[in-house]
Amino acid sequence: MSKVINVTIWNEFRHEKTVDEVKALYPDGLHAYLKSVLECDEVKITLAALDDGPEHGLTDDVLNNTDVLMWWGHMAHHEVNDDIVEKVRERVYMGMGLIVMHSGHYSKVFQRVVGTTGNLLWGANVKEIIWNINPTHPIAEGIPSHFKLDAEEIYSEPFQIPQPEEQVFQGWYETGFVFRSGCCWTRGFGKIFYFQPGHETVPTFYNKYVQKILANAIRWAAPKETGYQKINYAPCVGDQFVSDDELDFFKK
Ligand code: ZN
């Protein structure tokens, strides 16, 4: 069996307590629903929420044992403690994967990790087609050329993000708007995936392709072994980096 991937799903978990239609879709929170569909022998999932204490459920112990952090927030981005945001950034730069969903584009974590505002245009809930524009990408495995969502909140360009290193999906709305709906970056040793579908008042997370994309993204973003020591500073190595044996190799 391959190595178990430890995932923490962080959810703001406010709408589900206060808005009836959201409560009806996700009575235990959308993070708990996602756990129920994403957890398996290979993926072990911990839940964390904004109101889980001063560290929002992201204690050092939880963060240090998280391979991939998934993030959903919307109405209370400003309530997330800056110290926690900085800890998440540091963990990502040291190799923890980060999957930011939907309105997480405006979270402090996303802004801090990728370095831009995440500004975009938004609007009503309308039909959306998600185009798979990078079919050989690991996150697109098993996803058809396109699939339909009966309703998603319009998110439109210009999306103020750094140029994605890879774009996997493109959203097209029935009213004409377009959006880079699945984007990848690396920061330090960490891999980041932003995925646009996931508005709280529509059943997007029940869609089997959305679930498959998130499952693929977990495996893609999980830290891999590297031939390098992972460092988070800039040490001086003097004038000789290689060993004496390696120097002999160059001299022969
Ligand atoms: Zn939304």
Side-chain angles (χ1 to χ4, degrees), residues 67 86-98 100 108-118 160-166 183-194 220-221 223-224 226 230-232:
D67 296 313
E86 179 56 17
K87 279 185 186 181
V88 169
R89 184 203 61 76
E90 240 180 50
R91 282 280 298 144
V92 172
Y93 281 32
M94 286 296 283
M96 181 177 74
L98 177 67
V100 174
K108 290 184 191 176
V109 158
F110 183 65
Q111 293 170 332
R112 183 94 180 97
V113 168
V114 302
T116 57
T117 58
Q160 297 194 3
I161 47 175
Q163 181 64 26
E165 291 163 29
E166 298 171 302
C183 300
C184 303
W185 298 269
T186 47
R187 287 292 183 272
F189 293 93
K191 294 162 94 172
I192 301 123
F193 179 59
Y194 171 79
W220 172 83
K224 311 295 187 294
T226 73
K230 292 181 181 176
I231 54 166
N232 198 27

Side-chain angles (χ1 to χ4, degrees), residues 15 72-74 102-103 105 122-123 125 152-155 196 198-202:
H15 294 282
W72 196 101
H74 182 219
H102 187 60
S103 39
H105 73 90
W122 63 277
N125 294 349
E152 246 306 327
E153 185 177 33
I154 291 169
Y155 273 14
Q196 160 259 316
H199 184 60
E200 68 277 5
T201 63
V202 293

Side-chain angles (χ1 to χ4, degrees), residues 10 54-56 58 63 69 71 77-93 96 98 107-113:
W10 190 93
E55 294 166 294
H56 319 306
L58 298 177
L63 276 180
L69 177 65
W71 194 276
H77 294 314
H78 60 284
E79 292 184 39
V80 177
N81 184 309
D82 290 332
D83 294 342
I84 299 299
V85 173
E86 179 56 17
K87 279 185 186 181
V88 169
R89 184 203 61 76
E90 240 180 50
R91 282 280 298 144
V92 172
Y93 281 32
M96 181 177 74
L98 177 67
S107 64
K108 290 184 191 176
V109 158
F110 183 65
Q111 293 170 332
R112 183 94 180 97
V113 168

